[in-house]
Amino acid sequence: MPDSWDLSECARKAVAFRDERGFKTFNDPKNLAAAISIEAAELEEMFLWRGREEFGEIDRERMSEIADERADIVIYALIFAHDAEIDLRAAVDARIKKPG
């Protein structure tokens, strides 16, 4: 059974999807950073003007929409890491070890 946290196959598919459609010319660091930010704002908007709620309180339809926005964020982040040649495992490990 594959590790659900191993995103290497997802990264490969995201880059292939991007490349097959000729979108690579639009994927410079500025645009990828903006795309991540915009998708994160779309996720945040889904909670705007709502009270605090637990994950178990979110209905299936809304959770599906939330999952789509989270996936968009991860896809752009994986493409960014790929293009910038960032080893995400090493970057996460290093960041966790840094104070603050």
Side-chain angles (χ1 to χ4, degrees):
M1 173 183 222
D3 179 0
S4 66
W5 287 99
D6 179 1
L7 298 177
S8 58
E9 183 65 15
C10 290
R12 188 195 65 70
K13 287 179 180 179
V15 170
F17 178 90
R18 185 263 322 256
D19 292 348
E20 288 166 3
R21 285 155 182 80
F23 296 156
K24 187 172 183 174
T25 59
F26 306 109
N27 285 179
D28 57 75
K30 179 190 81 67
N31 285 326
L32 286 169
I36 293 166
S37 178
I38 291 164
E39 295 299 339
E42 289 176 4
L43 175 62
E44 187 175 23
E45 183 180 32
M46 299 182 82
F47 295 93
L48 186 63
W49 312 122
R50 293 178 176 266
R52 289 188 53 115
E53 58 192 331
E54 300 297 323
F55 285 109
E57 298 170 344
I58 300 171
D59 65 73
R60 286 185 182 199
E61 182 179 336
R62 195 158 147 254
M63 187 56 84
S64 176
E65 294 169 2
I66 291 167
D68 287 347
E69 295 303 335
R70 291 184 325 220
D72 289 342
I73 294 164
V74 171
I75 288 166
Y76 284 124
L78 291 171
I79 290 172
F80 191 108
H82 172 270
D83 290 357
E85 298 179 2
I86 295 170
D87 178 336
L88 283 177
R89 284 182 194 260
V92 169
D93 286 343
R95 182 63 183 123
I96 289 171
K97 291 176 184 174
K98 286 182 184 177

PDB file of all heavy atoms in Angstrom, residues 3 5 7 22-23 25 27-28 36 45-46 50 61 64-65 68 71-72 74 79 84 89-90 94 96 98 100:
ATOM      1  N   ASP A   3       2.320   4.987   0.607  1.00  0.00           N
ATOM      2  CA  ASP A   3       2.240   5.966   1.684  1.00  0.00           C
ATOM      3  C   ASP A   3       1.415   7.153   1.194  1.00  0.00           C
ATOM      4  O   ASP A   3       1.748   7.793   0.209  1.00  0.00           O
ATOM      5  CB  ASP A   3       3.656   6.408   2.065  1.00  0.00           C
ATOM      6  CG  ASP A   3       3.674   7.440   3.171  1.00  0.00           C
ATOM      7  OD1 ASP A   3       2.598   7.830   3.667  1.00  0.00           O
ATOM      8  OD2 ASP A   3       4.777   7.857   3.544  1.00  0.00           O
ATOM      9  N   TRP A   5       1.199  10.004   2.218  1.00  0.00           N
ATOM     10  CA  TRP A   5       1.906  11.282   2.312  1.00  0.00           C
ATOM     11  C   TRP A   5       3.016  11.405   1.285  1.00  0.00           C
ATOM     12  O   TRP A   5       3.644  12.462   1.167  1.00  0.00           O
ATOM     13  CB  TRP A   5       2.468  11.468   3.723  1.00  0.00           C
ATOM     14  CG  TRP A   5       1.377  11.760   4.696  1.00  0.00           C
ATOM     15  CD1 TRP A   5       0.773  10.878   5.541  1.00  0.00           C
ATOM     16  CD2 TRP A   5       0.724  13.007   4.896  1.00  0.00           C
ATOM     17  NE1 TRP A   5      -0.220  11.511   6.260  1.00  0.00           N
ATOM     18  CE2 TRP A   5      -0.264  12.820   5.887  1.00  0.00           C
ATOM     19  CE3 TRP A   5       0.875  14.276   4.345  1.00  0.00           C
ATOM     20  CZ2 TRP A   5      -1.088  13.848   6.326  1.00  0.00           C
ATOM     21  CZ3 TRP A   5       0.046  15.289   4.788  1.00  0.00           C
ATOM     22  CH2 TRP A   5      -0.917  15.066   5.768  1.00  0.00           C
ATOM     23  N   LEU A   7       4.041  12.293  -2.023  1.00  0.00           N
ATOM     24  CA  LEU A   7       3.428  13.057  -3.106  1.00  0.00           C
ATOM     25  C   LEU A   7       4.256  13.055  -4.386  1.00  0.00           C
ATOM     26  O   LEU A   7       3.970  13.827  -5.306  1.00  0.00           O
ATOM     27  CB  LEU A   7       3.183  14.495  -2.633  1.00  0.00           C
ATOM     28  CG  LEU A   7       2.222  14.640  -1.462  1.00  0.00           C
ATOM     29  CD1 LEU A   7       2.120  16.092  -1.028  1.00  0.00           C
ATOM     30  CD2 LEU A   7       0.852  14.087  -1.805  1.00  0.00           C
ATOM     31  N   GLY A  22       0.988  22.916 -22.335  1.00  0.00           N
ATOM     32  CA  GLY A  22       1.781  24.081 -22.715  1.00  0.00           C
ATOM     33  C   GLY A  22       1.709  25.238 -21.730  1.00  0.00           C
ATOM     34  O   GLY A  22       1.931  26.391 -22.098  1.00  0.00           O
ATOM     35  N   PHE A  23       1.419  24.943 -20.463  1.00  0.00           N
ATOM     36  CA  PHE A  23       1.285  25.996 -19.458  1.00  0.00           C
ATOM     37  C   PHE A  23       2.616  26.395 -18.825  1.00  0.00           C
ATOM     38  O   PHE A  23       2.666  27.347 -18.052  1.00  0.00           O
ATOM     39  CB  PHE A  23       0.327  25.564 -18.339  1.00  0.00           C
ATOM     40  CG  PHE A  23      -1.091  25.334 -18.778  1.00  0.00           C
ATOM     41  CD1 PHE A  23      -1.919  24.502 -18.046  1.00  0.00           C
ATOM     42  CD2 PHE A  23      -1.613  25.945 -19.906  1.00  0.00           C
ATOM     43  CE1 PHE A  23      -3.235  24.277 -18.425  1.00  0.00           C
ATOM     44  CE2 PHE A  23      -2.930  25.727 -20.301  1.00  0.00           C
ATOM     45  CZ  PHE A  23      -3.740  24.894 -19.556  1.00  0.00           C
ATOM     46  N   THR A  25       5.144  27.968 -19.825  1.00  0.00           N
ATOM     47  CA  THR A  25       5.599  29.339 -20.074  1.00  0.00           C
ATOM     48  C   THR A  25       4.996  30.326 -19.073  1.00  0.00           C
ATOM     49  O   THR A  25       5.558  31.397 -18.861  1.00  0.00           O
ATOM     50  CB  THR A  25       5.235  29.796 -21.502  1.00  0.00           C
ATOM     51  OG1 THR A  25       3.815  29.716 -21.661  1.00  0.00           O
ATOM     52  CG2 THR A  25       5.909  28.933 -22.541  1.00  0.00           C
ATOM     53  N   ASN A  27       4.521  29.528 -15.867  1.00  0.00           N
ATOM     54  CA  ASN A  27       4.880  29.081 -14.522  1.00  0.00           C
ATOM     55  C   ASN A  27       6.225  29.601 -14.053  1.00  0.00           C
ATOM     56  O   ASN A  27       7.104  28.851 -13.658  1.00  0.00           O
ATOM     57  CB  ASN A  27       4.845  27.551 -14.444  1.00  0.00           C
ATOM     58  CG  ASN A  27       3.436  26.990 -14.405  1.00  0.00           C
ATOM     59  OD1 ASN A  27       3.259  25.792 -14.352  1.00  0.00           O
ATOM     60  ND2 ASN A  27       2.422  27.827 -14.426  1.00  0.00           N
ATOM     61  N   ASP A  28       6.366  30.917 -14.061  1.00  0.00           N
ATOM     62  CA  ASP A  28       7.564  31.516 -13.466  1.00  0.00           C
ATOM     63  C   ASP A  28       7.321  31.652 -11.955  1.00  0.00           C
ATOM     64  O   ASP A  28       6.188  31.500 -11.490  1.00  0.00           O
ATOM     65  CB  ASP A  28       7.855  32.878 -14.106  1.00  0.00           C
ATOM     66  CG  ASP A  28       6.683  33.833 -13.989  1.00  0.00           C
ATOM     67  OD1 ASP A  28       6.463  34.359 -12.874  1.00  0.00           O
ATOM     68  OD2 ASP A  28       5.985  34.035 -14.996  1.00  0.00           O
ATOM     69  N   ILE A  36      -0.521  30.170  -5.777  1.00  0.00           N
ATOM     70  CA  ILE A  36      -0.641  29.550  -4.450  1.00  0.00           C
ATOM     71  C   ILE A  36      -1.414  30.481  -3.518  1.00  0.00           C
ATOM     72  O   ILE A  36      -2.328  30.054  -2.811  1.00  0.00           O
ATOM     73  CB  ILE A  36       0.751  29.217  -3.869  1.00  0.00           C
ATOM     74  CG1 ILE A  36       1.418  28.108  -4.690  1.00  0.00           C
ATOM     75  CG2 ILE A  36       0.641  28.818  -2.392  1.00  0.00           C
ATOM     76  CD1 ILE A  36       2.900  27.930  -4.411  1.00  0.00           C
ATOM     77  N   GLU A  45     -11.795  31.952   1.875  1.00  0.00           N
ATOM     78  CA  GLU A  45     -13.120  32.515   1.604  1.00  0.00           C
ATOM     79  C   GLU A  45     -14.244  31.538   1.966  1.00  0.00           C
ATOM     80  O   GLU A  45     -15.333  31.951   2.369  1.00  0.00           O
ATOM     81  CB  GLU A  45     -13.222  32.905   0.131  1.00  0.00           C
ATOM     82  CG  GLU A  45     -14.522  33.564  -0.238  1.00  0.00           C
ATOM     83  CD  GLU A  45     -14.598  33.938  -1.707  1.00  0.00           C
ATOM     84  OE1 GLU A  45     -13.994  33.219  -2.546  1.00  0.00           O
ATOM     85  OE2 GLU A  45     -15.262  34.943  -2.015  1.00  0.00           O
ATOM     86  N   MET A  46     -13.961  30.258   1.862  1.00  0.00           N
ATOM     87  CA  MET A  46     -14.977  29.248   2.171  1.00  0.00           C
ATOM     88  C   MET A  46     -15.351  29.252   3.655  1.00  0.00           C
ATOM     89  O   MET A  46     -16.374  28.698   4.044  1.00  0.00           O
ATOM     90  CB  MET A  46     -14.495  27.870   1.745  1.00  0.00           C
ATOM     91  CG  MET A  46     -14.245  27.786   0.246  1.00  0.00           C
ATOM     92  SD  MET A  46     -13.732  26.168  -0.259  1.00  0.00           S
ATOM     93  CE  MET A  46     -15.348  25.414  -0.361  1.00  0.00           C
ATOM     94  N   ARG A  50     -18.189  32.683   8.871  1.00  0.00           N
ATOM     95  CA  ARG A  50     -18.728  31.525   9.585  1.00  0.00           C
ATOM     96  C   ARG A  50     -18.093  31.506  10.977  1.00  0.00           C
ATOM     97  O   ARG A  50     -16.993  32.001  11.170  1.00  0.00           O
ATOM     98  CB  ARG A  50     -18.380  30.226   8.860  1.00  0.00           C
ATOM     99  CG  ARG A  50     -19.063  30.089   7.517  1.00  0.00           C
ATOM    100  CD  ARG A  50     -18.595  28.785   6.858  1.00  0.00           C
ATOM    101  NE  ARG A  50     -19.296  28.559   5.625  1.00  0.00           N
ATOM    102  CZ  ARG A  50     -20.398  27.831   5.512  1.00  0.00           C
ATOM    103  NH1 ARG A  50     -20.930  27.262   6.566  1.00  0.00           N
ATOM    104  NH2 ARG A  50     -20.971  27.664   4.339  1.00  0.00           N
ATOM    105  N   GLU A  61     -20.604  17.928   0.804  1.00  0.00           N
ATOM    106  CA  GLU A  61     -20.492  18.756  -0.406  1.00  0.00           C
ATOM    107  C   GLU A  61     -19.488  19.878  -0.193  1.00  0.00           C
ATOM    108  O   GLU A  61     -18.628  20.114  -1.035  1.00  0.00           O
ATOM    109  CB  GLU A  61     -21.854  19.337  -0.781  1.00  0.00           C
ATOM    110  CG  GLU A  61     -21.802  20.171  -2.059  1.00  0.00           C
ATOM    111  CD  GLU A  61     -23.158  20.729  -2.450  1.00  0.00           C
ATOM    112  OE1 GLU A  61     -24.191  20.159  -2.044  1.00  0.00           O
ATOM    113  OE2 GLU A  61     -23.156  21.740  -3.155  1.00  0.00           O
ATOM    114  N   SER A  64     -15.967  18.546  -0.062  1.00  0.00           N
ATOM    115  CA  SER A  64     -15.459  18.247  -1.396  1.00  0.00           C
ATOM    116  C   SER A  64     -14.903  19.512  -2.053  1.00  0.00           C
ATOM    117  O   SER A  64     -13.840  19.483  -2.677  1.00  0.00           O
ATOM    118  CB  SER A  64     -16.574  17.650  -2.253  1.00  0.00           C
ATOM    119  OG  SER A  64     -16.132  17.444  -3.569  1.00  0.00           O
ATOM    120  N   GLU A  65     -15.611  20.625  -1.893  1.00  0.00           N
ATOM    121  CA  GLU A  65     -15.135  21.897  -2.440  1.00  0.00           C
ATOM    122  C   GLU A  65     -13.856  22.347  -1.736  1.00  0.00           C
ATOM    123  O   GLU A  65     -12.931  22.852  -2.375  1.00  0.00           O
ATOM    124  CB  GLU A  65     -16.226  22.967  -2.303  1.00  0.00           C
ATOM    125  CG  GLU A  65     -17.446  22.684  -3.155  1.00  0.00           C
ATOM    126  CD  GLU A  65     -18.625  23.595  -2.828  1.00  0.00           C
ATOM    127  OE1 GLU A  65     -18.491  24.480  -1.949  1.00  0.00           O
ATOM    128  OE2 GLU A  65     -19.683  23.411  -3.452  1.00  0.00           O
ATOM    129  N   ASP A  68     -10.986  20.387  -3.080  1.00  0.00           N
ATOM    130  CA  ASP A  68     -10.548  20.895  -4.389  1.00  0.00           C
ATOM    131  C   ASP A  68      -9.598  22.073  -4.220  1.00  0.00           C
ATOM    132  O   ASP A  68      -8.560  22.151  -4.894  1.00  0.00           O
ATOM    133  CB  ASP A  68     -11.748  21.329  -5.234  1.00  0.00           C
ATOM    134  CG  ASP A  68     -12.557  20.166  -5.766  1.00  0.00           C
ATOM    135  OD1 ASP A  68     -12.084  19.011  -5.697  1.00  0.00           O
ATOM    136  OD2 ASP A  68     -13.676  20.423  -6.256  1.00  0.00           O
ATOM    137  N   ALA A  71      -6.295  20.911  -2.921  1.00  0.00           N
ATOM    138  CA  ALA A  71      -5.547  20.239  -3.991  1.00  0.00           C
ATOM    139  C   ALA A  71      -4.895  21.263  -4.916  1.00  0.00           C
ATOM    140  O   ALA A  71      -3.738  21.091  -5.316  1.00  0.00           O
ATOM    141  CB  ALA A  71      -6.465  19.314  -4.779  1.00  0.00           C
ATOM    142  N   ASP A  72      -5.620  22.334  -5.251  1.00  0.00           N
ATOM    143  CA  ASP A  72      -5.042  23.373  -6.108  1.00  0.00           C
ATOM    144  C   ASP A  72      -3.794  23.973  -5.464  1.00  0.00           C
ATOM    145  O   ASP A  72      -2.779  24.183  -6.137  1.00  0.00           O
ATOM    146  CB  ASP A  72      -6.061  24.489  -6.370  1.00  0.00           C
ATOM    147  CG  ASP A  72      -7.184  24.058  -7.296  1.00  0.00           C
ATOM    148  OD1 ASP A  72      -7.034  23.048  -8.009  1.00  0.00           O
ATOM    149  OD2 ASP A  72      -8.225  24.761  -7.305  1.00  0.00           O
ATOM    150  N   VAL A  74      -1.764  22.563  -3.277  1.00  0.00           N
ATOM    151  CA  VAL A  74      -0.686  21.565  -3.291  1.00  0.00           C
ATOM    152  C   VAL A  74      -0.123  21.398  -4.700  1.00  0.00           C
ATOM    153  O   VAL A  74       1.096  21.301  -4.884  1.00  0.00           O
ATOM    154  CB  VAL A  74      -1.177  20.222  -2.708  1.00  0.00           C
ATOM    155  CG1 VAL A  74      -0.149  19.124  -2.915  1.00  0.00           C
ATOM    156  CG2 VAL A  74      -1.494  20.381  -1.228  1.00  0.00           C
ATOM    157  N   ILE A  79       4.497  21.984  -8.241  1.00  0.00           N
ATOM    158  CA  ILE A  79       5.092  22.480  -9.490  1.00  0.00           C
ATOM    159  C   ILE A  79       6.188  23.496  -9.173  1.00  0.00           C
ATOM    160  O   ILE A  79       7.269  23.475  -9.779  1.00  0.00           O
ATOM    161  CB  ILE A  79       4.011  23.064 -10.423  1.00  0.00           C
ATOM    162  CG1 ILE A  79       3.123  21.931 -10.968  1.00  0.00           C
ATOM    163  CG2 ILE A  79       4.643  23.843 -11.573  1.00  0.00           C
ATOM    164  CD1 ILE A  79       1.902  22.403 -11.738  1.00  0.00           C
ATOM    165  N   ALA A  84      11.813  24.856  -9.152  1.00  0.00           N
ATOM    166  CA  ALA A  84      12.884  25.491  -8.386  1.00  0.00           C
ATOM    167  C   ALA A  84      13.906  24.484  -7.867  1.00  0.00           C
ATOM    168  O   ALA A  84      14.872  24.870  -7.202  1.00  0.00           O
ATOM    169  CB  ALA A  84      12.294  26.266  -7.214  1.00  0.00           C
ATOM    170  N   ARG A  89      11.067  17.356   1.080  1.00  0.00           N
ATOM    171  CA  ARG A  89      11.322  16.645   2.344  1.00  0.00           C
ATOM    172  C   ARG A  89      12.422  17.343   3.127  1.00  0.00           C
ATOM    173  O   ARG A  89      12.282  17.593   4.322  1.00  0.00           O
ATOM    174  CB  ARG A  89      11.727  15.196   2.091  1.00  0.00           C
ATOM    175  CG  ARG A  89      10.600  14.302   1.705  1.00  0.00           C
ATOM    176  CD  ARG A  89      11.133  12.876   1.539  1.00  0.00           C
ATOM    177  NE  ARG A  89      10.182  12.043   0.875  1.00  0.00           N
ATOM    178  CZ  ARG A  89       9.384  11.198   1.507  1.00  0.00           C
ATOM    179  NH1 ARG A  89       9.444  11.069   2.796  1.00  0.00           N
ATOM    180  NH2 ARG A  89       8.528  10.466   0.822  1.00  0.00           N
ATOM    181  N   ALA A  90      13.508  17.679   2.448  1.00  0.00           N
ATOM    182  CA  ALA A  90      14.620  18.358   3.115  1.00  0.00           C
ATOM    183  C   ALA A  90      14.214  19.756   3.580  1.00  0.00           C
ATOM    184  O   ALA A  90      14.579  20.190   4.674  1.00  0.00           O
ATOM    185  CB  ALA A  90      15.821  18.450   2.166  1.00  0.00           C
ATOM    186  N   ALA A  94      14.199  20.884   7.428  1.00  0.00           N
ATOM    187  CA  ALA A  94      15.021  22.032   7.827  1.00  0.00           C
ATOM    188  C   ALA A  94      14.170  23.114   8.481  1.00  0.00           C
ATOM    189  O   ALA A  94      14.572  23.712   9.480  1.00  0.00           O
ATOM    190  CB  ALA A  94      15.755  22.598   6.606  1.00  0.00           C
ATOM    191  N   ILE A  96      11.290  22.786  10.101  1.00  0.00           N
ATOM    192  CA  ILE A  96      10.826  22.350  11.415  1.00  0.00           C
ATOM    193  C   ILE A  96      11.926  22.503  12.459  1.00  0.00           C
ATOM    194  O   ILE A  96      11.655  22.834  13.614  1.00  0.00           O
ATOM    195  CB  ILE A  96      10.311  20.898  11.349  1.00  0.00           C
ATOM    196  CG1 ILE A  96       8.976  20.867  10.570  1.00  0.00           C
ATOM    197  CG2 ILE A  96      10.142  20.286  12.720  1.00  0.00           C
ATOM    198  CD1 ILE A  96       8.471  19.483  10.243  1.00  0.00           C
ATOM    199  N   LYS A  98      14.251  24.803  12.476  1.00  0.00           N
ATOM    200  CA  LYS A  98      14.585  26.203  12.714  1.00  0.00           C
ATOM    201  C   LYS A  98      13.742  26.768  13.842  1.00  0.00           C
ATOM    202  O   LYS A  98      12.542  26.511  13.903  1.00  0.00           O
ATOM    203  CB  LYS A  98      14.340  27.043  11.449  1.00  0.00           C
ATOM    204  CG  LYS A  98      15.352  26.862  10.377  1.00  0.00           C
ATOM    205  CD  LYS A  98      15.037  27.791   9.195  1.00  0.00           C
ATOM    206  CE  LYS A  98      16.002  27.540   8.064  1.00  0.00           C
ATOM    207  NZ  LYS A  98      15.671  28.368   6.906  1.00  0.00           N
ATOM    208  N   GLY A 100      11.519  29.492  15.759  1.00  0.00           N
ATOM    209  CA  GLY A 100      10.596  30.550  15.331  1.00  0.00           C
ATOM    210  C   GLY A 100       9.841  30.155  14.197  1.00  0.00           C
ATOM    211  O   GLY A 100       9.187  30.306  13.408  1.00  0.00           O
TER     212      GLY A 100
END
